[in-house]
Amino acid sequence: MNLHQDLKRGIEEGDFRAIARALTLVENDIEPSGDLLKSLKINDTLVLGITGPPGAGKSTLVNAITNNLVVAGKKIAILAVDPTSPFNFGSLLGDRIRMAQQFNNPNVYIRSIATRGALGGMSLKTLELVDVLKAAKFDLIIIETVGVGQSEVEIAGLADKTCVVLVPESGDEIQNIKSGLMEIAQVFVINKADREGADVFANNLKKLVNEQHQAIPVFKTVADKNTGIVELCDWILEEKIDTNEKRKFLIADKAYKIIQNQKMKDIDKTRLLNDVKEALSKQDFNVYQFTQDWLRHS
């Protein structure tokens, strides 16, 4: 049996080694990733997106959610999206380190992936990686993204449920919240709720949600003490009600990128880099003129 079929069978059987190898091939566009993606049976697995500012305790919250759901007999996959160096596209953080206690759990699969410069906190490869995990029959896929902001609307397109994690200190920024986060949040979690000002912030946030006429629940948690996690997990496991309207935009963007890559597959990037290096030595270098001339002679 060839590699493609071996990987497909391993993914369907939930073999973590096969899943890891498939994700590596897909993330780096190494064959037979294309044939593999086309052949997978993609299940309707619940995808939970968790986002929020640095320091909000997202990884600790993911860890607490995972612990509770595993006890309930669930099989969990976690994609931790790490920020990327703009120079070598290497990952700068390591969320897996903060979830070390899950490493030997046979019902938990953890993978760190790089943003590769994506402004929304995710590379477009994330969609493909999630599809691989959906084919592996997990009960829940958690995507933890970096940062937060208007551009992070991408996670709302990919996830069935989007959780925005804040801390009591975010209270001073309550007016800024409605500009971006109301668009993507399906639940607000005020983590580290044992800190001063947590109750006031929670009440102000609930008031803001009501003013916007939105039915967005607000939970208070202390993730490292497992406080409030059970209630949050109950909400996560509730049946999906709304169809994800944003998903079609994400899929359309992905289709555009696939078509773009197909059109550009004959472009020699090494040659392009060398030609740019040579052209930069000329005083009259203009990137627009260079690009036009380069395409004409390619």
Side-chain angles (χ1 to χ4, degrees):
M1 192 176 290
N2 60 33
L3 178 59
H4 164 207
Q5 293 299 326
D6 282 344
L7 288 175
K8 182 175 183 292
R9 182 181 63 183
I11 291 168
E12 292 171 347
E13 292 175 352
D15 183 342
F16 281 9
R17 287 176 297 180
I19 293 170
R21 188 170 187 187
L23 291 176
T24 297
L25 295 178
V26 168
E27 188 175 13
N28 295 286
D29 275 327
I30 300 171
E31 292 302 331
S33 62
D35 290 336
L36 178 64
L37 287 169
K38 285 184 283 187
S39 68
L40 291 176
K41 179 184 177 183
I42 299 171
N43 303 298
D44 187 26
T45 308
L46 178 67
V47 178
L48 173 68
I50 294 187
T51 188
K58 297 187 295 295
S59 294
T60 307
L61 183 67
V62 169
N63 202 40
I65 291 170
T66 302
N67 285 336
N68 277 264
L69 294 181
V70 166
V71 169
K74 303 298 182 182
K75 191 175 180 181
I76 313 293
I78 301 168
L79 283 181
V81 184
D82 291 340
T84 305
S85 164
F87 301 108
N88 60 17
F89 294 115
S91 180
L92 297 179
L93 290 180
D95 280 310
R96 284 176 294 184
I97 295 173
R98 294 192 286 275
M99 301 177 198
Q101 69 185 87
Q102 306 292 352
F103 280 177
N104 296 320
N105 194 320
N107 290 316
V108 180
Y109 179 81
I110 303 174
R111 175 87 174 204
S112 285
I113 59 174
T115 60
R116 295 176 181 245
L119 290 178
M122 298 185 302
S123 74
L124 285 167
K125 280 291 168 189
T126 309
L127 177 63
E128 296 175 355
L129 301 180
V130 168
D131 282 343
V132 172
L133 294 174
K134 283 186 173 183
K137 299 180 181 177
F138 287 98
D139 295 302
L140 175 68
I141 299 168
I142 300 176
I143 305 173
E144 179 196 337
T145 75
V146 294
V148 71
Q150 189 72 23
S151 62
E152 198 124 3
V153 70
E154 286 180 9
I155 188 63
L158 181 58
D160 298 300
K161 295 184 175 183
T162 304
C163 169
V164 175
V165 185
L166 301 168
V167 288
E169 291 81 359
S170 304
D172 294 336
E173 303 167 9
I174 193 76
Q175 292 305 316
N176 295 329
I177 288 175
K178 51 183 161 183
S179 60
L181 300 189
M182 286 295 181
E183 184 179 357
I184 66 172
Q186 287 167 302
V187 64
F188 284 110
V189 173
I190 303 172
N191 194 30
K192 304 181 182 180
D194 52 349
R195 291 183 177 179
E196 185 179 352
D199 290 337
V200 173
F201 179 47
N203 290 333
N204 288 339
L205 187 55
K206 289 175 183 177
K207 187 184 300 183
L208 179 60
V209 168
N210 290 332
E211 287 174 358
Q212 298 291 316
H213 304 291
Q214 299 201 43
I216 305 175
V218 177
F219 291 98
K220 292 188 294 181
T221 64
V222 184
D224 57 357
K225 297 178 182 176
N226 204 45
T227 303
I229 302 300
V230 173
E231 294 81 2
L232 176 59
C233 287
D234 288 342
W235 176 86
I236 291 169
L237 295 178
E238 285 178 0
E239 185 177 353
K240 291 181 289 184
I241 299 174
D242 299 324
T243 56
N244 192 338
E245 287 295 318
K246 297 183 181 70
R247 184 170 173 78
K248 62 187 177 186
F249 297 104
L250 183 70
I251 298 295
D253 195 35
K254 180 60 185 174
Y256 178 85
K257 292 295 183 183
I258 292 172
I259 294 168
Q260 187 180 56
N261 287 339
Q262 288 293 320
K263 294 285 187 180
M264 295 182 64
K265 64 182 179 181
D266 295 326
I267 299 291
D268 185 339
K269 290 184 179 179
T270 302
R271 181 187 153 218
L272 176 60
L273 178 61
N274 291 332
D275 289 348
V276 166
K277 183 179 179 180
E278 180 181 348
L280 281 171
S281 64
K282 301 175 182 177
Q283 290 186 350
D284 60 346
F285 174 79
N286 179 287
V287 66
Y288 303 103
Q289 186 62 49
F290 167 83
T291 305
Q292 183 177 335
D293 293 342
W294 197 87
L295 287 172
R296 186 184 302 123
H297 294 101
S298 295

